[in-house]
Amino acid sequence: MKNLKFSRLFAAALVVACLALTGCKPQTEEVLVEKVYVVKELSASHPIIGNWEDNFEEWNTYIDYDCQIKADMIKPASYYSYNNGTVYIREVSENSGYIYYQFSGPISLWNGSGYDDVDVTGKWGAIAYQELTANSVQMCDADYTDQEFVSTLEECVTKYTKANKYFAYINTPFTKVTE
């Protein structure tokens, strides 16, 4: 008889414990994962290296090409800017990514009625590219109209992205004119 009372009491306690546990939500810990981007020096053998020309003559920046990309120098298609120094790349896929460089002098920005020279020496710039093949690519320079230039490569990588809407003309087609 004692065992029967104990069994009933034990079973009742077990049911109460189960009900209590099913009503409780487990504690969870929020884990924030920081995005990691692989940025490396642009190699001289990368397919983006070369002189590129777009189809818009009114946008032509240089005489024989619109954009020149080398491992140690870049002349982007816009802003009449240039870089003499290391050029960096972040590949998003096999045929798309971003190119980063440090400005070596001022750039020309459209102010609504004309161009203003803005001294950005030492600041960082970016080019986005996609659909890269041996002879063609779609690319454009970042849109710097906010004139909030960044001082480090790390800031450049996180700020100048397609998701942040800095590359409105990314679909501009370019053809390779020389290596």
Side-chain angles (χ1 to χ4, degrees):
M1 195 87 158
K2 263 184 169 178
N3 286 340
L4 188 58
K5 281 185 182 181
F6 178 75
S7 295
R8 287 183 185 166
L9 185 61
F10 180 76
L14 189 59
V15 168
V16 170
C18 287
L19 289 174
L21 288 175
T22 58
C24 293
K25 292 183 180 177
Q27 291 183 341
T28 58
E29 186 176 318
E30 187 174 331
V31 178
L32 299 176
V33 178
E34 190 172 321
K35 287 186 177 181
V36 176
Y37 299 110
V38 177
V39 178
K40 58 187 177 185
E41 290 184 19
L42 180 62
S43 85
S45 62
H46 195 280
I48 197 75
I49 298 288
N51 293 338
W52 298 90
E53 181 178 56
D54 65 30
N55 296 333
F56 303 98
E57 289 187 31
E58 67 272 12
W59 292 2
N60 285 353
T61 307
Y62 307 104
I63 295 170
D64 296 329
Y65 56 88
D66 295 310
C67 181
Q68 183 179 50
I69 301 173
K70 295 182 178 182
D72 61 351
M73 189 274 297
I74 190 167
K75 287 185 179 178
S78 303
Y79 309 115
Y80 300 100
S81 62
Y82 63 96
N83 160 275
N84 285 316
T86 306
V87 178
Y88 297 89
I89 190 166
R90 176 169 66 99
E91 296 173 304
V92 176
S93 71
E94 188 176 301
N95 65 355
S96 69
Y98 297 92
I99 299 170
Y100 307 106
Y101 58 95
Q102 202 166 17
F103 291 107
S104 298
I107 65 172
S108 294
L109 286 178
W110 180 255
N111 64 18
S113 60
Y115 287 94
D116 290 329
D117 285 339
V118 178
D119 188 11
V120 293
T121 306
K123 302 291 186 180
W124 286 85
I127 295 173
Y129 70 92
Q130 62 189 21
E131 304 297 327
L132 176 64
T133 69
N135 297 312
S136 66
V137 68
Q138 295 174 357
M139 66 178 162
C140 72
D141 302 308
D143 181 355
Y144 306 112
T145 53
D146 64 6
Q147 295 193 28
E148 294 178 12
F149 295 94
V150 296
S151 300
T152 67
L153 176 58
E154 183 179 347
E155 290 174 301
C156 187
V157 170
T158 58
K159 179 176 181 171
Y160 300 126
T161 66
K162 288 191 256 182
N164 289 343
K165 302 194 183 332
Y166 277 93
F167 299 98
Y169 297 102
I170 186 65
N171 295 326
T172 303
F174 284 79
T175 304
K176 190 175 271 189
V177 290
T178 63
E179 288 295 322

